[in-house]
Amino acid sequence: MTNTPMQILAPDAAGLTTAAGILRAGGLVAFGTETVYGLGADARNDTAVAGIYAAKGRPSFNPLIVHLSDLATAEQYCVFNDDARALAAAFWPGAMTLVLPLRQGAGISKLVTAGLDTLAIRVPDHKVARDFLEKFDGPVAAPSANPSGRISPTNADHVIAGLGDKIDAVIDGGPCGVGVESTIVSCVGKPAILRAGGIPAEAISACLGHPIAVPDDPDMPQSPGQLASHYAPKGQVRLNAQQIDPGETLLGFGAVDATLNLSPSGDLTEAAAHLFDCLHQLDAMGATRIAVSPIPDHGLGRAINDRLKRAAAPRD
């Protein structure tokens, strides 16, 4: 987010060019889709993605949906199997999100995937959104453009009222259609619906030629990232460390002497952007005991602490 006032951009060539430039510079742009307005950032830019969480006041790093202009672009970032191709052919562009294996070297921020090896993607059925995505020519992470916990926005005025002083621009693409969230389908292993949405299970089952697991099924896989220790590095983690014990590696925050530091200046947005990368670096170092400096438990600090608590949770 820059210090300049938020821009309200028209959905014309000039407005879309300006919006794409803001994203390339690491800014935040809200834009309409057929479901709701999304708050977009370059999905490859850690700091920009952290800015989404800061602007929304989002309490935890849930995996974000990445919006892409077409199937060919989507295949640059994910590995498709036969089921995924069938669903994409039938329902894209449209209100379906597919969870697929992340392609090696795709360059997507770990904040987008919440450190997982899967990616949630969709191709929206909205002319302005697709024109914007084509103009930007890259992956756009975009949860709903509203403060966390508030009603999802279905027009530009909703975005302005909720986030007007926290983002760089909104493309006024008019009102959304029905405003129903996308159906999320995991195609990792046996297809399963992770979130009900605008495309009913019956239509998905008909497309696949067999029934699909739905959220009411007791044996349906849970959404990624919900297990208590899901975000754990290989080493044991000790939180709120005021000093380092023998054999520990310090993951620091603020003005401390640490092997790795989330943010030497104590900036929570910077710390959020570095969190998952630092955990991966600790694994690469072979750290077996990890001490973590105290992190303030406000703003993005709540999200950082949520993931660190999961990382420190007892394991089976």
Side-chain angles (χ1 to χ4, degrees), residues 110-123:
K110 292 182 177 66
L111 284 181
V112 170
T113 62
L116 303 173
D117 57 3
T118 54
L119 181 65
I121 56 174
R122 85 176 184 102
V123 176

Side-chain angles (χ1 to χ4, degrees), residues 248-282:
E248 288 186 326
T249 302
L250 180 63
L251 176 59
F253 176 84
V256 295
D257 184 12
T259 303
L260 294 175
N261 199 313
L262 293 168
S263 173
S265 65
D267 182 276
L268 289 171
T269 299
E270 181 183 25
H274 291 163
L275 176 60
F276 289 117
D277 185 55
C278 283
L279 293 179
H280 279 272
Q281 287 187 58
L282 287 164

Side-chain angles (χ1 to χ4, degrees), residues 1-207:
M1 174 68 190
T2 66
N3 293 322
T4 58
M6 187 194 73
Q7 301 181 62
I8 303 172
L9 302 174
D12 55 19
L16 297 179
T17 297
T18 297
I22 290 170
L23 284 197
R24 292 188 192 103
L28 303 179
V29 177
F31 62 99
T33 74
E34 76 276 26
T35 57
V36 298
Y37 270 68
L39 179 56
D42 185 342
R44 301 160 294 194
N45 184 325
D46 289 340
T47 303
V49 175
I52 290 177
Y53 290 98
K56 285 176 62 68
R58 194 172 173 118
S60 63
F61 295 138
N62 300 316
L64 300 179
I65 295 173
V66 168
H67 294 64
L68 299 160
S69 58
D70 52 43
L71 174 58
T73 304
E75 293 196 88
Q76 298 175 24
Y77 298 97
C78 289
V79 179
F80 282 69
N81 57 23
D82 290 343
D83 286 333
R85 288 182 185 282
L87 292 172
F91 300 111
W92 279 359
M96 173 172 285
T97 294
L98 297 177
V99 176
L100 299 167
L102 184 64
R103 192 172 291 280
Q104 188 172 5
I108 298 294
S109 166
K110 292 182 177 66
L111 284 181
V112 170
T113 62
L116 303 173
D117 57 3
T118 54
L119 181 65
I121 56 174
R122 85 176 184 102
V123 176
D125 187 16
H126 188 287
K127 184 180 186 306
V128 173
R130 293 174 68 194
D131 288 348
F132 174 44
L133 293 166
E134 288 175 5
K135 183 72 70 174
F136 177 63
D137 192 26
V140 176
S144 57
N146 58 296
S148 184
R150 300 292 296 277
I151 298 170
S152 295
T154 55
N155 62 47
D157 287 341
H158 294 162
V159 177
I160 295 164
L163 298 176
D165 59 344
K166 296 180 175 67
I167 67 176
D168 296 284
V170 56
I171 304 168
D172 189 350
C176 300
V178 199
V180 178
E181 292 178 317
S182 64
T183 301
I184 301 179
V185 178
S186 170
C187 286
V188 180
K190 182 180 178 182
I193 294 176
L194 301 183
R195 182 184 74 186
I199 299 174
E202 293 81 359
I204 298 169
S205 294
C207 173

